[in-house]
Amino acid sequence: MQTVLWVKALHIIFMVTWMAAIFYLPRLYVYHVQAITENDAKGDARFKIMERKLFWGIMTPGAVLTIVFGVWLWLGYGITGKWMMWKLLLVLTLLAHHIACFIHLRAFRDGHNTRSEKYFRIMNELPVFALFGIVFLVVLKPN
Ligand code: HEM
């Protein structure tokens, strides 16, 4: 079996884990704001644990390994084209979203969150556009 196919399979597996966490963490932030608004101290403490484990246990390893196997495919096997440049631009928006999630993780951890439920609901939807764009670009490879 060609190694490139193993690398691509691992790239897709870790992309799925990254995306799963990217869509779940802001949703936790929505409910965390509700718990804080309702002075639910137990809920607040529980969300802090869930968010920390999701960010460091799934989201960040998923991001790192998606990029490692993606760059291996791109630079290791020379799979590229104009579509790759647009894809990388969209990947940068996912990385910006990832860093924003980290900043909010710390704010909740320290009890300093100032963002509203609505803000996190909108933040939750944005990566959908990058995901659609990336998958269409890499599968259709438009020139
Ligand atoms: C630095 C980041 C990334 C790089 C360098 C990269 C690079 C690549 C390359 C070179 C391929 C092989 C294309 C082919 O064989 O036709 C590939 C496949 C793929 N990539 Fe990425 N990728 C990255 C991030 C992502 C992300 C964030 C996603 C999704 C959100 C993604 C989704 C996919 C999918 C679905 C495939 C399989 C396409 C197919 O088999 O036709 N990639 N990637």
Side-chain angles (χ1 to χ4, degrees), residues 3-19:
T3 328
V4 66
L5 296 178
W6 289 90
V7 177
K8 193 191 288 191
L10 288 164
H11 179 58
I12 296 170
I13 290 165
F14 290 114
M15 175 272 282
V16 171
T17 61
W18 188 21
M19 289 301 112

Side-chain angles (χ1 to χ4, degrees), residues 4 8 11-12 15 18-19 66-67 69-75 79-80 83-84 87-88 91 94 130-131 134-135 138-139 141:
V4 66
K8 193 191 288 191
H11 179 58
I12 296 170
M15 175 272 282
W18 188 21
M19 289 301 112
T66 299
I67 293 168
F69 291 112
V71 170
W72 189 349
L73 290 166
W74 173 32
L75 302 179
I79 305 172
T80 192
W83 57 273
M84 173 59 80
K87 182 178 175 181
L88 291 174
V91 172
L94 290 177
L131 178 62
I134 289 171
V135 173
V138 72
V139 172
K141 297 185 176 59

Side-chain angles (χ1 to χ4, degrees), residues 35-54:
I36 294 167
T37 316
E38 292 156 9
N39 295 317
D40 172 6
K42 266 206 184 139
D44 180 27
R46 189 177 305 117
F47 280 118
K48 285 180 186 174
I49 296 169
M50 290 170 75
E51 290 154 4
R52 177 170 46 80
K53 290 192 172 180
L54 181 61

Side-chain angles (χ1 to χ4, degrees), residues 13-29 50-67 93-105 123-124 127:
I13 290 165
F14 290 114
M15 175 272 282
V16 171
T17 61
W18 188 21
M19 289 301 112
I22 274 192
F23 287 123
Y24 191 38
L25 189 52
R27 183 58 53 177
L28 285 181
Y29 292 156
M50 290 170 75
E51 290 154 4
R52 177 170 46 80
K53 290 192 172 180
L54 181 61
F55 184 83
W56 292 112
I58 298 175
M59 194 164 159
T60 304
V64 171
L65 293 166
T66 299
I67 293 168
T93 66
L94 290 177
L95 284 171
H97 187 275
H98 192 112
I99 293 164
C101 282
F102 172 67
I103 292 166
H104 295 306
L105 181 78
M123 188 185 177
N124 197 193

